[in-house]
Amino acid sequence: MQHLDWPRERAGKRTDLVQGTPLACPLGQLSRGTLALMNLPAALFTPSWPAELELAYARHGERTTPVQRRHVGPLRVQKHLYAEGPEVCQHIIVHPPGGIAGGDTLNISARAGERSWVQLTSPGAAKWYRAAGVARQVLRLNVETGATLEWLPQETIIYAGAQAELHTQIELHGDARLFYWDIVALGRPAADERFASGHFQAVLDVRRDGKLLWHERQRLTGGDGLLDSPIGLDGQPVFATLLISGDVDSDLLERCRELKIDGVRGDLSQISGLLIARCLASEALKARAWLIEFWRLLRPALLGREAVPPRIWST
């Protein structure tokens, strides 16, 4: 796929070969057939950048420990951290290229074994660049009986002209607990860039013991009327979703609805076994502040532990 916004530091890592011959080779050393191939569209020679990360965790005594860390391509986790003590294992997922371009694929899976507690976050925003081809991310989270998994990444920025497609599957077993959020920022308002072209597509499924609890599909196209419509994003470039397993009483629901962040409009709903909150915001930082306030309020009530923000959020 042709990458139109290829980061400078990433361009140096490209390897363009024609029949195994580096393009920097003197033209006099190239065969007639090779020269003919050089006239083909550049998109045929622009590599995609696939990446995979597979994580698994287990409970050993009072400690949650990583038992699998397999990666292919540019996806990593940093050293596991225990800011809250041995029970909660925190990993920071890193994508070293710093952005996703057309043709790239990211496959991330994480399994929290029985009674383990896993918290996954990221060091910064994920950037999806303008490109001529589709880029994809597939996220699979599997939470076993008695386990807790918190998926708390920083925002996803979809540049104008990006073609981003995300698919998330979450499987809960028995009394497994989940705290999940995502933040999506369309365009770059600070650079006067509206989301005028490209598309963003997302699918989210949550199941417990094979039974579907939540299913949603989103598709927003650059310049679509929904971006400004009062029944869509109402002119706000940022939207966020929060999903928490469990049920809360009416008093706690009301306290959640009383949370106010300037520049954020949001609300929440309780269905059987799942709490869903959404917001629209003028900036990603404001949407994240709104989610963190919910996390501070609901984590003790639903998960039985005070919220301790990861240090990486402050760097």
Side-chain angles (χ1 to χ4, degrees), residues 95-125:
H95 184 237
I100 302 98
D104 289 357
T105 57
L106 276 65
N107 284 282
I108 303 170
S109 67
R111 176 183 293 272
E114 290 188 12
R115 297 176 53 248
S116 65
W117 190 316
V118 181
Q119 185 182 90
L120 300 174
T121 186
S122 62

mmCIF file of all heavy atoms in Angstrom, residues 95-125:
data_model
loop_
_atom_site.group_PDB
_atom_site.id
_atom_site.type_symbol
_atom_site.label_atom_id
_atom_site.label_comp_id
_atom_site.label_asym_id
_atom_site.label_seq_id
_atom_site.Cartn_x
_atom_site.Cartn_y
_atom_site.Cartn_z
ATOM 1 N N HIS A 95 4.516 0.299 20.633
ATOM 2 C CA HIS A 95 4.630 0.110 19.182
ATOM 3 C C HIS A 95 5.732 1.053 18.707
ATOM 4 O O HIS A 95 5.499 2.223 18.437
ATOM 5 C CB HIS A 95 3.296 0.447 18.502
ATOM 6 C CG HIS A 95 3.282 0.197 17.032
ATOM 7 N ND1 HIS A 95 2.977 1.190 16.124
ATOM 8 C CD2 HIS A 95 3.538 -0.922 16.300
ATOM 9 C CE1 HIS A 95 3.046 0.693 14.895
ATOM 10 N NE2 HIS A 95 3.382 -0.575 14.979
ATOM 11 N N PRO A 96 6.985 0.578 18.622
ATOM 12 C CA PRO A 96 8.129 1.459 18.382
ATOM 13 C C PRO A 96 8.043 2.362 17.154
ATOM 14 O O PRO A 96 8.568 3.482 17.203
ATOM 15 C CB PRO A 96 9.309 0.474 18.273
ATOM 16 C CG PRO A 96 8.890 -0.682 19.104
ATOM 17 C CD PRO A 96 7.419 -0.812 18.865
ATOM 18 N N PRO A 97 7.403 1.960 16.031
ATOM 19 C CA PRO A 97 7.363 2.892 14.892
ATOM 20 C C PRO A 97 6.634 4.191 15.195
ATOM 21 O O PRO A 97 6.828 5.184 14.495
ATOM 22 C CB PRO A 97 6.624 2.090 13.807
ATOM 23 C CG PRO A 97 6.870 0.664 14.158
ATOM 24 C CD PRO A 97 6.885 0.634 15.664
ATOM 25 N N GLY A 98 5.770 4.195 16.190
ATOM 26 C CA GLY A 98 5.096 5.429 16.570
ATOM 27 C C GLY A 98 3.838 5.721 15.788
ATOM 28 O O GLY A 98 3.153 6.704 16.063
ATOM 29 N N GLY A 99 3.507 4.900 14.806
ATOM 30 C CA GLY A 99 2.299 5.146 14.039
ATOM 31 C C GLY A 99 1.986 3.976 13.130
ATOM 32 O O GLY A 99 2.822 3.100 12.899
ATOM 33 N N ILE A 100 0.758 3.963 12.613
ATOM 34 C CA ILE A 100 0.275 2.879 11.768
ATOM 35 C C ILE A 100 -0.075 3.466 10.410
ATOM 36 O O ILE A 100 -0.791 4.472 10.326
ATOM 37 C CB ILE A 100 -0.956 2.187 12.390
ATOM 38 C CG1 ILE A 100 -0.614 1.632 13.785
ATOM 39 C CG2 ILE A 100 -1.466 1.070 11.493
ATOM 40 C CD1 ILE A 100 -1.025 2.492 14.941
ATOM 41 N N ALA A 101 0.435 2.857 9.338
ATOM 42 C CA ALA A 101 0.191 3.339 7.984
ATOM 43 C C ALA A 101 -0.517 2.265 7.174
ATOM 44 O O ALA A 101 -0.706 1.128 7.633
ATOM 45 C CB ALA A 101 1.506 3.744 7.320
ATOM 46 N N GLY A 102 -0.916 2.618 5.959
ATOM 47 C CA GLY A 102 -1.677 1.705 5.121
ATOM 48 C C GLY A 102 -0.969 0.384 4.911
ATOM 49 O O GLY A 102 0.231 0.337 4.669
ATOM 50 N N GLY A 103 -1.722 -0.721 5.017
ATOM 51 C CA GLY A 103 -1.158 -2.047 4.868
ATOM 52 C C GLY A 103 -0.672 -2.657 6.153
ATOM 53 O O GLY A 103 -0.467 -3.876 6.224
ATOM 54 N N ASP A 104 -0.467 -1.869 7.199
ATOM 55 C CA ASP A 104 -0.008 -2.397 8.479
ATOM 56 C C ASP A 104 -1.119 -3.201 9.153
ATOM 57 O O ASP A 104 -2.311 -2.893 9.009
ATOM 58 C CB ASP A 104 0.410 -1.267 9.415
ATOM 59 C CG ASP A 104 1.706 -0.602 8.984
ATOM 60 O OD1 ASP A 104 2.304 -1.059 7.992
ATOM 61 O OD2 ASP A 104 2.105 0.372 9.632
ATOM 62 N N THR A 105 -0.725 -4.218 9.898
ATOM 63 C CA THR A 105 -1.675 -4.985 10.699
ATOM 64 C C THR A 105 -1.087 -5.187 12.088
ATOM 65 O O THR A 105 0.088 -5.516 12.232
ATOM 66 C CB THR A 105 -1.965 -6.365 10.079
ATOM 67 O OG1 THR A 105 -0.745 -7.088 9.929
ATOM 68 C CG2 THR A 105 -2.638 -6.217 8.725
ATOM 69 N N LEU A 106 -1.908 -4.981 13.101
ATOM 70 C CA LEU A 106 -1.517 -5.212 14.494
ATOM 71 C C LEU A 106 -2.458 -6.255 15.072
ATOM 72 O O LEU A 106 -3.688 -6.074 15.045
ATOM 73 C CB LEU A 106 -1.611 -3.929 15.314
ATOM 74 C CG LEU A 106 -0.433 -2.942 15.281
ATOM 75 C CD1 LEU A 106 -0.276 -2.359 13.883
ATOM 76 C CD2 LEU A 106 -0.638 -1.833 16.287
ATOM 77 N N ASN A 107 -1.893 -7.348 15.560
ATOM 78 C CA ASN A 107 -2.666 -8.394 16.219
ATOM 79 C C ASN A 107 -2.188 -8.502 17.656
ATOM 80 O O ASN A 107 -1.030 -8.856 17.905
ATOM 81 C CB ASN A 107 -2.478 -9.729 15.505
ATOM 82 C CG ASN A 107 -3.269 -9.816 14.213
ATOM 83 O OD1 ASN A 107 -4.475 -10.041 14.228
ATOM 84 N ND2 ASN A 107 -2.594 -9.610 13.089
ATOM 85 N N ILE A 108 -3.078 -8.197 18.594
ATOM 86 C CA ILE A 108 -2.742 -8.210 20.013
ATOM 87 C C ILE A 108 -3.699 -9.149 20.736
ATOM 88 O O ILE A 108 -4.921 -9.042 20.570
ATOM 89 C CB ILE A 108 -2.843 -6.800 20.626
ATOM 90 C CG1 ILE A 108 -1.944 -5.816 19.875
ATOM 91 C CG2 ILE A 108 -2.491 -6.818 22.107
ATOM 92 C CD1 ILE A 108 -2.161 -4.363 20.262
ATOM 93 N N SER A 109 -3.157 -10.059 21.520
ATOM 94 C CA SER A 109 -4.008 -10.920 22.331
ATOM 95 C C SER A 109 -3.443 -10.994 23.744
ATOM 96 O O SER A 109 -2.220 -10.979 23.936
ATOM 97 C CB SER A 109 -4.119 -12.325 21.728
ATOM 98 O OG SER A 109 -2.886 -13.005 21.788
ATOM 99 N N ALA A 110 -4.343 -11.055 24.708
ATOM 100 C CA ALA A 110 -3.934 -11.151 26.112
ATOM 101 C C ALA A 110 -4.900 -12.080 26.843
ATOM 102 O O ALA A 110 -6.125 -11.955 26.671
ATOM 103 C CB ALA A 110 -3.907 -9.783 26.776
ATOM 104 N N ARG A 111 -4.357 -12.983 27.635
ATOM 105 C CA ARG A 111 -5.164 -13.919 28.420
ATOM 106 C C ARG A 111 -4.809 -13.758 29.893
ATOM 107 O O ARG A 111 -3.643 -13.926 30.280
ATOM 108 C CB ARG A 111 -4.922 -15.356 27.975
ATOM 109 C CG ARG A 111 -5.671 -16.402 28.810
ATOM 110 C CD ARG A 111 -5.321 -17.807 28.367
ATOM 111 N NE ARG A 111 -5.808 -18.065 27.028
ATOM 112 C CZ ARG A 111 -7.039 -18.536 26.755
ATOM 113 N NH1 ARG A 111 -7.891 -18.788 27.749
ATOM 114 N NH2 ARG A 111 -7.406 -18.752 25.523
ATOM 115 N N ALA A 112 -5.821 -13.436 30.683
ATOM 116 C CA ALA A 112 -5.651 -13.356 32.133
ATOM 117 C C ALA A 112 -6.127 -14.672 32.733
ATOM 118 O O ALA A 112 -7.323 -14.988 32.678
ATOM 119 C CB ALA A 112 -6.436 -12.182 32.702
ATOM 120 N N GLY A 113 -5.184 -15.455 33.282
ATOM 121 C CA GLY A 113 -5.527 -16.751 33.854
ATOM 122 C C GLY A 113 -6.318 -16.620 35.142
ATOM 123 O O GLY A 113 -6.491 -15.527 35.700
ATOM 124 N N GLU A 114 -6.807 -17.719 35.649
ATOM 125 C CA GLU A 114 -7.678 -17.730 36.832
ATOM 126 C C GLU A 114 -7.064 -16.937 37.987
ATOM 127 O O GLU A 114 -5.898 -17.127 38.325
ATOM 128 C CB GLU A 114 -7.970 -19.167 37.272
ATOM 129 C CG GLU A 114 -8.876 -19.914 36.316
ATOM 130 C CD GLU A 114 -9.303 -21.257 36.867
ATOM 131 O OE1 GLU A 114 -9.080 -21.500 38.079
ATOM 132 O OE2 GLU A 114 -9.844 -22.069 36.103
ATOM 133 N N ARG A 115 -7.855 -16.023 38.545
ATOM 134 C CA ARG A 115 -7.528 -15.233 39.738
ATOM 135 C C ARG A 115 -6.407 -14.211 39.503
ATOM 136 O O ARG A 115 -5.976 -13.550 40.427
ATOM 137 C CB ARG A 115 -7.171 -16.134 40.917
ATOM 138 C CG ARG A 115 -8.302 -17.047 41.380
ATOM 139 C CD ARG A 115 -7.877 -17.992 42.495
ATOM 140 N NE ARG A 115 -7.275 -17.271 43.616
ATOM 141 C CZ ARG A 115 -5.991 -17.356 43.963
ATOM 142 N NH1 ARG A 115 -5.159 -18.139 43.259
ATOM 143 N NH2 ARG A 115 -5.529 -16.684 44.998
ATOM 144 N N SER A 116 -5.921 -14.087 38.282
ATOM 145 C CA SER A 116 -4.881 -13.087 38.009
ATOM 146 C C SER A 116 -5.517 -11.702 37.852
ATOM 147 O O SER A 116 -6.729 -11.569 37.674
ATOM 148 C CB SER A 116 -4.103 -13.453 36.741
ATOM 149 O OG SER A 116 -4.949 -13.408 35.604
ATOM 150 N N TRP A 117 -4.677 -10.677 37.931
ATOM 151 C CA TRP A 117 -5.136 -9.292 37.734
ATOM 152 C C TRP A 117 -4.123 -8.632 36.810
ATOM 153 O O TRP A 117 -2.946 -8.491 37.146
ATOM 154 C CB TRP A 117 -5.222 -8.557 39.068
ATOM 155 C CG TRP A 117 -5.912 -7.216 38.994
ATOM 156 C CD1 TRP A 117 -5.745 -6.240 38.048
ATOM 157 C CD2 TRP A 117 -6.902 -6.701 39.887
ATOM 158 N NE1 TRP A 117 -6.554 -5.159 38.300
ATOM 159 C CE2 TRP A 117 -7.279 -5.421 39.435
ATOM 160 C CE3 TRP A 117 -7.492 -7.201 41.045
ATOM 161 C CZ2 TRP A 117 -8.217 -4.628 40.098
ATOM 162 C CZ3 TRP A 117 -8.427 -6.412 41.701
ATOM 163 C CH2 TRP A 117 -8.787 -5.136 41.225
ATOM 164 N N VAL A 118 -4.594 -8.214 35.643
ATOM 165 C CA VAL A 118 -3.729 -7.680 34.595
ATOM 166 C C VAL A 118 -4.198 -6.278 34.231
ATOM 167 O O VAL A 118 -5.388 -6.043 34.029
ATOM 168 C CB VAL A 118 -3.754 -8.579 33.340
ATOM 169 C CG1 VAL A 118 -2.827 -8.011 32.254
ATOM 170 C CG2 VAL A 118 -3.383 -10.009 33.700
ATOM 171 N N GLN A 119 -3.243 -5.369 34.151
ATOM 172 C CA GLN A 119 -3.539 -4.003 33.704
ATOM 173 C C GLN A 119 -2.631 -3.678 32.520
ATOM 174 O O GLN A 119 -1.407 -3.743 32.628
ATOM 175 C CB GLN A 119 -3.298 -2.994 34.834
ATOM 176 C CG GLN A 119 -3.688 -1.570 34.476
ATOM 177 C CD GLN A 119 -3.383 -0.601 35.601
ATOM 178 O OE1 GLN A 119 -2.297 -0.037 35.655
ATOM 179 N NE2 GLN A 119 -4.340 -0.423 36.519
ATOM 180 N N LEU A 120 -3.237 -3.331 31.386
ATOM 181 C CA LEU A 120 -2.507 -3.025 30.163
ATOM 182 C C LEU A 120 -2.782 -1.586 29.746
ATOM 183 O O LEU A 120 -3.939 -1.159 29.706
ATOM 184 C CB LEU A 120 -2.913 -3.983 29.041
ATOM 185 C CG LEU A 120 -2.668 -5.467 29.315
ATOM 186 C CD1 LEU A 120 -3.248 -6.328 28.204
ATOM 187 C CD2 LEU A 120 -1.180 -5.754 29.490
ATOM 188 N N THR A 121 -1.715 -0.860 29.444
ATOM 189 C CA THR A 121 -1.864 0.526 29.009
ATOM 190 C C THR A 121 -0.816 0.816 27.944
ATOM 191 O O THR A 121 -0.129 -0.095 27.468
ATOM 192 C CB THR A 121 -1.760 1.497 30.202
ATOM 193 O OG1 THR A 121 -2.058 2.828 29.754
ATOM 194 C CG2 THR A 121 -0.392 1.471 30.841
ATOM 195 N N SER A 122 -0.689 2.082 27.546
ATOM 196 C CA SER A 122 0.252 2.461 26.485
ATOM 197 C C SER A 122 0.975 3.734 26.899
ATOM 198 O O SER A 122 0.478 4.512 27.718
ATOM 199 C CB SER A 122 -0.492 2.665 25.164
ATOM 200 O OG SER A 122 -1.435 3.718 25.278
ATOM 201 N N PRO A 123 2.153 3.998 26.310
ATOM 202 C CA PRO A 123 2.930 5.176 26.715
ATOM 203 C C PRO A 123 2.468 6.475 26.071
ATOM 204 O O PRO A 123 2.875 7.543 26.502
ATOM 205 C CB PRO A 123 4.349 4.817 26.257
ATOM 206 C CG PRO A 123 4.139 3.941 25.079
ATOM 207 C CD PRO A 123 2.898 3.142 25.380
ATOM 208 N N GLY A 124 1.659 6.390 25.037
ATOM 209 C CA GLY A 124 1.227 7.606 24.338
ATOM 210 C C GLY A 124 0.145 7.268 23.337
ATOM 211 O O GLY A 124 -0.349 6.130 23.260
ATOM 212 N N ALA A 125 -0.241 8.268 22.563
ATOM 213 C CA ALA A 125 -1.310 8.097 21.585
ATOM 214 C C ALA A 125 -0.870 7.168 20.456
ATOM 215 O O ALA A 125 0.284 7.155 20.045
ATOM 216 C CB ALA A 125 -1.712 9.449 21.011
#
